Amino acid sequence: NIFNASVLFVLFSSICFSQTWEVKLPGNAMYGLAIDKFGGIYGVSGSPKNVYRSLDGGVNWDTLLVNTPSVGQNIAVDSALNIYVSNQSNGLFESTNGGINWVQIPISVFGNNNLQTVCCGKNGWIYTGTSNGGVYRSTDYGVTFSYTGLSGILVVMVKVDRFNSNLIYAGGSGVASNFGFFYSTDAGSTWSENTNPINIFDLAQSDNGDLYTVSTSTGFPLSKSTNHGMNWTTIYNFGDFRRSVCIDAGGNIYTSGNSGVYRSSDGGVSFVNWNVTYSSQKVVTSNNKIFLAVSGTTNGGVYIHTDTTLTNINPVRNITP
């Protein structure tokens, strides 16, 4: 009995320790997070409406941009370390010198549609998702943008396949017929039909290429595709809105949403709350760390979880940018 009790105590202590989070930028309602190729962390907040960066794994943060006109919904960094912030009705903010100076690309460039999201593909290629205006693409580092499709879709997520930069994924989250999942096999020039007609809020890709999406539709499903988004299977249902998903170096799946962050260590078969119950937005991973954007002004900030069980992390594949 003493031995069993000791084992249970050690196991319980290990689990509790593994779920420890460190809070940075406290009091900031955080929304978007991004990671550059060197591991730099970037964040945008809604209150105050600022842009931040950390170059030491989240320990210290610099303020790059103060008081943007609208809430920065998402942020992206390309291979040249140019920074892009989607700023809703105020278009796209871009910095080509590490956040020292910024250029505002007006909403008129995007058909006067609010910008919801931004992501970076192969060198110089930038994708933006808009409110009911579809996807716009730049092939010259944001100098010019052109409409590529999905008009009428409220595009809140655009992602580039980890292993094939010609595969682009877009997710819509709205009402009636302006939601769903779409993919492009020609770097965004043309788009598929809707292959998963629910609200799609975020996407993560595993090392074997499988796709996982989270949703704000009733049932709040975690969906999985093994063929680049052509077909989908619901593998888990949450109890509330899920807004973001990522997969760490150990294959663990993290999702964030209304009731905080949940973790699965069995490929999405089961999930447990990972010791954060505050409403949260973006969740991203780098090396053995998870970065979570908590959006409440009282408990808001960047929450950082370090998984000490993940060591000697090396990339699975080396892809030329």
Side-chain angles (χ1 to χ4, degrees):
N1 289 338
I2 294 175
F3 173 78
N4 290 338
S6 299
V7 170
L8 289 173
F9 176 77
V10 171
L11 179 61
F12 177 76
S13 300
S14 176
I15 292 173
C16 288
F17 179 77
S18 70
Q19 297 181 41
T20 300
W21 295 81
E22 185 179 7
V23 183
K24 298 295 182 179
L25 299 175
N28 286 266
M30 300 301 298
Y31 281 81
L33 292 172
I35 300 173
D36 69 27
K37 65 179 181 180
F38 297 114
I41 315 299
Y42 301 75
V44 289
S45 61
S47 178
K49 302 170 186 174
N50 293 347
V51 178
Y52 302 95
R53 180 184 62 191
S54 172
L55 298 179
D56 56 9
V59 177
N60 298 288
W61 293 80
D62 299 317
T63 303
L64 302 182
L65 184 60
V66 177
N67 198 26
T68 60
S70 297
V71 174
Q73 292 291 98
N74 279 285
I75 185 169
V77 185
D78 67 17
S79 58
L81 302 187
N82 300 314
I83 311 167
Y84 306 89
V85 178
S86 56
N87 203 239
Q88 299 188 70
S89 61
N90 293 280
L92 186 70
F93 282 84
E94 176 186 10
S95 175
T96 59
N97 58 4
I100 297 174
N101 302 106
W102 293 84
V103 173
Q104 183 179 3
I105 302 173
I107 195 174
S108 58
V109 172
F110 310 99
N112 291 314
N113 298 295
N114 285 4
L115 258 67
Q116 296 294 323
T117 190
V118 59
C119 83
C120 303
K122 49 193 173 184
N123 281 349
W125 292 56
I126 314 300
Y127 299 87
T128 62
T130 67
S131 295
N132 304 320
V135 175
Y136 285 75
R137 181 184 70 184
S138 172
T139 60
D140 53 14
Y141 292 96
V143 176
T144 61
F145 279 88
S146 58
Y147 166 75
T148 68
L150 302 185
S151 177
I153 305 300
L154 203 168
V155 179
V156 298
M157 180 277 295
V158 182
K159 291 287 183 72
V160 180
D161 189 274
R162 289 174 56 192
F163 311 116
N164 183 350
S165 59
N166 287 317
L167 282 174
I168 314 297
Y169 309 112
S173 180
V175 296
S177 59
N178 63 348
F179 52 46
F181 184 90
F182 308 85
Y183 64 87
S184 171
T185 59
D186 52 14
S189 295
T190 60
W191 294 89
S192 72
E193 297 296 322
N194 191 347
T195 64
N196 195 11
I198 58 174
N199 287 321
I200 303 294
F201 232 83
D202 197 16
L203 174 145
Q205 187 173 19
S206 66
D207 289 336
N208 67 0
D210 291 346
L211 305 179
Y212 296 82
T213 63
V214 288
S215 178
T216 58
S217 289
T218 301
F220 316 113
L222 176 76
S223 302
K224 178 181 179 180
S225 174
T226 59
N227 57 7
H228 303 293
M230 290 187 287
N231 303 101
W232 293 91
T233 302
T234 297
I235 60 174
Y236 191 85
N237 290 97
F238 292 93
D240 61 8
F241 284 11
R242 296 287 94 192
R243 297 189 182 92
S244 187
V245 58
C246 72
I247 303 174
D248 72 9
N252 303 301
I253 303 173
Y254 291 82
T255 76
S256 56
N258 280 12
S259 58
V261 61
Y262 284 77
R263 178 183 186 266
S264 172
S265 59
D266 54 14
V269 176
S270 61
F271 280 85
V272 294
N273 182 270
W274 210 243
N275 206 31
V276 175
T277 58
Y278 307 128
S279 181
S280 50
Q281 302 288 331
K282 196 72 174 177
V283 60
V284 297
T285 180
S286 177
N287 293 323
N288 67 336
K289 289 186 176 182
I290 304 297
F291 299 88
L292 176 70
V294 174
S295 53
T297 54
T298 301
N299 301 302
V302 178
Y303 284 52
I304 304 173
H305 162 60
T306 302
D307 190 340
T308 57
T309 67
L310 298 179
T311 59
N312 299 320
I313 299 170
N314 294 301
V316 174
R317 304 184 190 182
N318 291 315
I319 303 298
T320 302

